[in-house]
Amino acid sequence: MIPSRSRPAKRDEVERFHISDYVSRVEELSHLGYGALDYGDTPAYPGVFDASAAVVGAALEGLERVMSGNVYRTFQPIGGLHHARRETGAGFCVFNDCGVVIDTLREHYGIQRVAYVDIDVHHGDGLYYPYEHDPEVFVADIHEDGRFLYPGTGDANEQGKGDAHGTKLNIPLQPGAGDAIFMREWERVAAFLDGFKPEFIVFQCGADSLKGDPLAHLQYTPAAHAHAARGLIEIANRHHAATGDSRQIIGMAMKTHRDERQRWRPAERLTPGPLRPGNRGAQVDAVDRVSAVLPELDVDAVVVVVVPDPLGDIGYRAVEVERGEDELGLPRLVVQVPLRLA
């Protein structure tokens, strides 16, 4: 197990996915401290550029560890900002860390056949449409039907365009769908991925598809997320054994609300102290505490995202680690880094 502290992404790294004019706008409004990064859903606040770059940096740190051969897969607890488009923010997402990872894989590592799997309650429109015409980015997205929920996209007939037709799988679910329906539909995702034999898998597993989210209507338990994660690990391991390819990076979007801790029902809670620049002791303590609760999970590395606190004294917020078991006795872990908004 290799815990790792994230680094902020450089501007040129962010621009692997986003256009330069948009990145400049985020930077400008970050200094200004207010404004809108889209048509109103995604507000700017003091330090928004640095906080968003930290999320992208965590994803790239995980990617670098996988591509260096140190690990097979990593887990980024804060990430999966899948609504941001190349030219704009959207749906509270500023920089699209998954998009940056995909474009980095292809431009800098020569990995062309990439699978993007998304089980967030919302359709990952910020990944689907940029790659809608790309026949070597395989998108599988299970989400609540867009007729009932933002962003209103992801219909089953959206399967890619041109040469990419058939390389995209959208599975909209009706409000109220739970584990049984998810696991039934997951078989379609597994067969879809096996058919394309991706070299790399990027997984977005937003917690808002779990039962109890105040803005959505799916009824998953953590068992659904565990089933998907383990299924992808099996697929990656199977293709790796056969071809030497198919490595995996796991990114997770933790969209929390006041009932989050009750929904995860932790058996143990660890709260390292605030992490501040130069406070090496606190940083080491946080890494030690995170690593202490990870051995049960089939994950090789965890990237701890550390973000500036725009409301404080430019310090860093505490990392929270919660551990417990679901109804089936499966181990589960959530690592949260509170990102406070102005």
Side-chain angles (χ1 to χ4, degrees):
M1 197 65 58
I2 308 172
S4 175
R5 187 173 181 269
S6 69
R7 61 172 179 81
K10 301 174 183 177
R11 177 177 176 133
D12 65 303
E13 293 174 324
V14 175
E15 289 181 1
R16 292 171 187 172
F17 180 82
H18 292 286
I19 65 171
S20 180
D21 285 351
Y22 171 63
V23 177
S24 293
R25 177 171 174 77
V26 176
E27 196 168 31
E28 177 185 354
L29 293 183
S30 182
H31 290 302
L32 191 61
Y34 64 90
L37 297 171
D38 56 1
Y39 295 104
D41 284 341
T42 311
Y45 56 88
V48 63
F49 183 94
D50 296 327
S52 303
V55 174
V56 175
L60 291 176
E61 169 70 16
L63 177 61
E64 288 162 10
R65 289 185 173 273
V66 173
M67 297 310 297
S68 68
N70 291 332
V71 299
Y72 284 117
R73 47 192 162 267
T74 67
F75 170 63
Q76 282 70 252
I78 305 297
L81 303 181
H82 63 165
H83 295 306
R85 303 286 186 95
R86 293 191 186 275
E87 72 285 356
T88 185
F92 311 122
C93 300
V94 179
F95 293 148
N96 194 322
D97 51 314
C98 293
V100 173
V101 164
I102 291 172
D103 285 355
T104 299
L105 277 166
R106 309 182 85 194
E107 296 172 13
H108 293 266
Y109 291 107
I111 300 293
Q112 296 302 315
R113 299 173 63 79
V114 180
Y116 172 74
V117 181
D118 190 323
I119 63 169
D120 190 283
V121 75
H122 304 94
H123 179 237
D125 56 325
L127 276 301
Y128 177 83
Y129 294 108
Y131 301 108
E132 188 176 26
H133 293 268
D134 192 319
E136 292 190 310
V137 175
F138 317 117
V139 175
D141 195 318
I142 304 180
H143 50 271
E144 185 173 335
D145 193 313
R147 292 175 294 179
F148 304 97
L149 192 67
Y150 178 91
T153 56
D155 191 79
N157 64 14
E158 293 190 271
Q159 302 175 36
K161 291 186 175 180
D163 292 341
H165 183 77
T167 64
K168 314 293 186 276
L169 175 66
N170 278 299
I171 304 177
L173 302 182
Q174 294 298 297
D179 287 2
I181 293 175
F182 174 84
M183 292 181 186
R184 182 190 70 201
E185 297 297 337
W186 181 258
E187 296 305 311
R188 296 174 58 195
V189 172
F192 173 82
L193 296 176
D194 272 330
F196 286 110
K197 298 180 174 60
E199 298 173 80
F200 202 100
I201 300 171
V202 179
F203 182 31
Q204 201 278 16
C205 44
D208 49 7
S209 55
L210 296 173
K211 181 179 180 179
D213 189 274
L215 301 178
H217 317 98
L218 296 184
Q219 302 293 307
Y220 302 166
T221 73
H225 282 231
H227 184 77
R230 290 176 177 171
L232 291 179
I233 289 170
E234 290 174 2
I235 291 170
N237 287 346
R238 185 163 59 250
H239 290 301
H240 180 73
T243 66
D245 294 324
S246 215
R247 288 162 283 194
Q248 183 174 355
I249 184 170
I250 300 178
M252 186 168 187
M254 290 306 303
K255 302 174 182 176
T256 61
H257 58 82
R258 63 189 178 189
D259 295 326
E260 182 68 29
R261 296 194 180 106
Q262 284 76 12
R263 290 199 289 136
W264 287 91
R265 297 184 301 126
E268 179 180 4
R269 182 175 173 189
L270 305 176
T271 53
L275 307 181
R276 302 186 182 281
N279 188 350
R280 180 63 181 166
Q283 295 169 12
V284 171
D285 180 57
V287 168
D288 287 346
R289 292 186 183 213
V290 169
S291 62
V293 298
L294 296 178
E296 295 178 64
L297 299 181
D298 189 14
V299 175
D300 298 301
V302 170
V303 180
V304 178
V305 185
V306 181
V307 297
D309 174 12
L311 298 184
D313 54 356
I314 317 302
Y316 291 90
R317 307 310 301 167
V319 177
E320 298 179 6
V321 180
E322 300 180 354
R323 174 187 177 188
E325 293 184 349
D326 62 19
E327 291 82 353
L328 301 178
L330 300 175
R332 49 188 167 79
L333 172 74
V334 56
V335 185
Q336 300 175 0
V337 180
L339 176 56
R340 296 173 57 185
L341 304 182

Coordinates of all heavy atoms in Angstrom, one line a residue, residues 9 69 74 124 135 162 174 205 232 236 287 322 325:
A9 N -1.9 20.5 -10.2 CA -1.5 20.3 -11.6 C -1.0 21.7 -12.2 O -1.5 22.7 -11.8 CB -2.8 19.9 -12.4
G69 N 4.8 1.8 -13.4 CA 4.9 0.4 -13.1 C 4.9 0.1 -11.6 O 5.1 -1.1 -11.1
T74 N -4.9 2.9 -8.7 CA -4.9 3.9 -7.6 C -6.3 4.4 -7.4 O -7.2 4.2 -8.2 CB -4.0 5.1 -7.9 OG1 -4.5 5.9 -9.0 CG2 -2.6 4.7 -8.2
G124 N -22.4 11.5 -17.3 CA -21.1 12.2 -17.4 C -21.0 12.9 -18.8 O -20.1 12.5 -19.6
P135 N -13.4 6.7 -31.7 CA -13.7 5.2 -31.7 C -12.9 4.4 -30.7 O -13.1 3.2 -30.5 CB -13.5 4.8 -33.1 CG -12.4 5.7 -33.6 CD -12.7 7.0 -33.0
G162 N -20.5 8.6 -36.0 CA -19.5 8.3 -37.1 C -18.8 7.0 -36.8 O -19.5 6.0 -36.5
Q174 N -34.5 4.3 -14.2 CA -35.7 5.1 -13.6 C -35.4 5.4 -12.2 O -34.7 4.7 -11.4 CB -36.9 4.2 -13.7 CG -37.3 3.9 -15.2 CD -37.7 5.2 -15.9 OE1 -38.6 5.9 -15.5 NE2 -36.9 5.5 -17.0
C205 N -16.9 7.0 -9.7 CA -18.0 6.3 -8.9 C -18.6 7.3 -7.9 O -18.3 7.2 -6.7 CB -17.5 5.1 -8.2 SG -15.8 5.2 -7.5
L232 N -14.5 -4.3 -12.2 CA -13.5 -3.7 -13.1 C -12.1 -4.2 -12.8 O -11.3 -4.4 -13.7 CB -13.6 -2.1 -12.9 CG -14.8 -1.4 -13.5 CD1 -14.7 0.1 -13.2 CD2 -15.0 -1.7 -14.9
A236 N -9.8 -5.8 -15.5 CA -8.4 -5.4 -15.7 C -7.4 -6.5 -15.5 O -6.4 -6.7 -16.3 CB -8.1 -4.2 -14.8
V287 N -0.8 10.6 6.5 CA -0.5 9.4 5.6 C -0.5 8.1 6.4 O -1.0 7.1 6.0 CB 0.9 9.6 4.9 CG1 1.3 8.4 4.2 CG2 0.7 10.8 3.9
E322 N -13.0 7.2 7.1 CA -14.1 6.4 7.7 C -14.0 5.0 7.2 O -13.9 4.8 6.0 CB -15.4 7.1 7.4 CG -15.5 8.5 7.9 CD -16.8 9.1 7.6 OE1 -17.6 8.5 6.9 OE2 -17.1 10.2 8.1
E325 N -18.3 -1.7 7.3 CA -18.7 -2.8 6.4 C -20.2 -2.6 6.0 O -21.0 -2.0 6.7 CB -18.6 -4.1 7.1 CG -17.2 -4.5 7.5 CD -17.1 -5.9 8.1 OE1 -18.2 -6.4 8.5 OE2 -16.0 -6.4 8.2

